[in-house]
């Protein structure tokens, strides 16, 4: 463990943080599976402006819930979740329970029962072998092979910034020490959060490793909403890289991706006669 984190690895618990938007159908199962993970004694759900009953379902499943009155994006939801954990720990200390700050395990709301497979992410951080772990989804590795243009942008940006090339740079399932998390604040906004988090943690001198885990969430798809989602992802990742000094490479990648996305929109507009302005959140 790094200096400044009190106690040994065995004394440090784990708090699961789940950012959720309109996930009432899945978040309850995800919370229940997360609560059974080794070392986990707290599950926090951040309802990021949901229009459904996500918050109520998460509460019934045993999570502590914080709510955004409007959708603020994944990065903001993760920060709210971490701050919620800190406030809960302050309350515990005032009540006489003093303990080292919990490690943070970030999970997606749509993992459902597969969230029980996240334990391998915890072990390297809990034993001090790594400061942050990033999940590798075996099914995603076989299906995509890392050829998506957003994945390429993020992977190349992390590699140029740090010299380390992640296989799944956009994977949001991560466990990290509180010190590593604080070193990366403020987080990059929106869907640029994973790319920015990886770069900032590595630049601060912390150790990062990818760990294969048997997790799976729903695929993004190929319809108009999915294409809009990928364009949103690309924009947020590009902004995270630009903020970290990679404007020229990002600009070339954006020009290529924009042409592909525009072509897809035209095709879908001709087919359906309208555009879907819905906001999709991972």
């Amino acid at each position: 463990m790094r200096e400044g984190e009190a106690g040994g690895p065995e004394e440090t618990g784990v708090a699961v943080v789940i950012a959720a938007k309109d996930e009432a159908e899945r978040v309850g199962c995800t919370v229940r599976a997360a609560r059974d993970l080794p070392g986990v004694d707290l599950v926090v759900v951040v309802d990021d402006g949901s229009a459904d009953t996500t918050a109520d379902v998460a509460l019934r499943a045993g999570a502590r819930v914080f709510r955004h009155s409007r959708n603020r994006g994944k990065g903001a939801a993760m920060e709210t979740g971490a701050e919620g954990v800190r406030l809960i720990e302050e309350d515990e200390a005032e009540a006489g329970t003093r303990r080292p700050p919990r490690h943070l395990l970030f999970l997606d709301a749509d993992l459902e029962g597969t969230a029980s497979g996240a334990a391998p992410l915890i072990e390297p951080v809990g034993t001090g072998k790594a400061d942050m772990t990033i999940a590798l989804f075996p099914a995603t590795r076989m299906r995509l092979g890392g050829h998506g243009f957003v994945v390429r942008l993020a992977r190349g940006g992390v590699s140029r910034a740090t010299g380390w090339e992640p296989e799944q740079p956009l994977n949001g399932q991560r466990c990290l020490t509180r010190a590593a998390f604080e070193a990366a604040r403020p987080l990059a906004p929106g869907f640029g959060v994973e790319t920015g988090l990886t770069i900032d943690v590595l630049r601060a001198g912390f150790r990062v490793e990818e760990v294969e885990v048997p997790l799976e969430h729903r695929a993004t798809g190929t319809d108009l909403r999915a294409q809009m989602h990928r364009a949103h992802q690309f924009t947020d990742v590009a902004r995270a890289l630009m903020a970290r000094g990679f404007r020229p490479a990002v600009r070339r990648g954006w020009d290529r991706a924009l042409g592909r996305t525009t072509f897809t929109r035209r095709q879908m507009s001709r087919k359906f006669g309208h555009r879907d302005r819905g906001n999709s959140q991972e």
Side-chain angles (χ1 to χ4, degrees):
M1 300 183 69
R2 286 184 172 267
E3 186 178 354
E5 291 189 32
E10 71 281 1
E11 299 175 6
T12 305
V14 179
V16 175
V17 176
I18 301 172
K21 181 179 186 297
D22 297 329
E23 290 287 359
E25 293 183 7
R26 301 173 180 85
V27 70
C29 187
T30 302
V31 168
R32 287 188 289 272
R35 291 180 63 195
D36 290 335
L37 289 168
V40 171
D41 61 355
L42 174 64
V43 177
V44 167
V45 170
V46 179
D47 180 358
D48 191 28
S50 295
D52 64 6
T53 58
T54 291
D56 294 334
V57 172
L59 279 170
R60 289 197 298 269
R64 302 285 290 273
V65 176
F66 296 84
R67 301 189 70 176
H68 290 167
S69 59
R70 60 179 178 82
N71 180 239
R72 294 173 54 194
K74 189 173 184 181
M78 289 171 64
E79 291 232 36
T80 295
E83 180 65 11
V85 173
R86 187 188 68 80
L87 292 173
I88 290 168
E89 289 172 345
E90 283 189 356
D91 289 343
E92 291 173 343
E94 290 179 1
T97 303
R98 294 189 176 275
R99 55 184 302 161
R102 293 172 174 87
H103 301 317
L104 300 175
L105 174 62
F106 291 98
L107 297 177
D108 288 346
D110 61 356
L111 293 173
E112 298 187 276
T114 71
S116 62
L121 293 172
I122 299 172
E123 190 273 338
V125 176
T127 58
K129 296 177 182 177
D131 302 296
M132 181 170 76
T133 54
I134 304 173
L136 289 175
F137 287 10
T140 305
R141 297 172 78 178
M142 291 184 291
R143 183 170 62 251
L144 297 180
H147 297 304
F149 66 86
V150 186
V151 172
R152 288 198 303 271
L153 175 67
R155 181 183 295 140
V158 172
S159 178
R160 288 191 301 275
T162 68
W164 180 67
E165 185 174 290
E167 185 172 340
Q168 291 186 13
L170 301 178
N171 202 310
Q173 327 316 307
R174 299 171 180 234
C175 185
L176 67 166
T177 66
R178 201 67 139 275
F181 180 81
E182 291 299 324
R185 294 185 66 190
L187 300 182
F191 296 113
V193 62
E194 290 89 4
T195 302
L197 182 61
T198 301
I199 291 173
D200 293 341
V201 166
L202 285 169
R203 281 180 167 176
F206 291 94
R207 300 157 297 168
V208 178
E209 67 175 63
E210 293 183 302
V211 179
E212 189 165 301
V213 291
L215 304 180
E216 184 69 19
H217 57 66
R218 67 182 184 275
T220 303
T222 59
D223 60 7
L224 177 59
R225 177 171 294 193
Q227 295 297 334
M228 296 290 285
H229 172 73
R230 291 188 180 96
H232 189 179
Q233 273 189 312
F234 190 98
T235 301
D236 287 351
V237 171
R239 286 173 177 164
L241 292 175
M242 288 177 186
R244 289 156 180 81
F246 296 97
R247 183 178 300 273
V250 169
R251 182 71 235 181
R252 290 194 297 271
W254 170 252
D255 289 340
R256 290 193 298 268
L258 182 61
R260 293 177 61 182
T261 303
T262 302
F263 177 73
T264 302
R265 289 184 188 176
R266 288 172 181 166
Q267 283 185 313
M268 299 301 289
S269 295
R270 285 197 298 268
K271 184 174 181 180
F272 295 106
H274 74 285
R275 292 184 181 180
D276 188 342
R277 295 181 181 271
N279 179 28
S280 177
Q281 171 98 18
E282 279 191 344

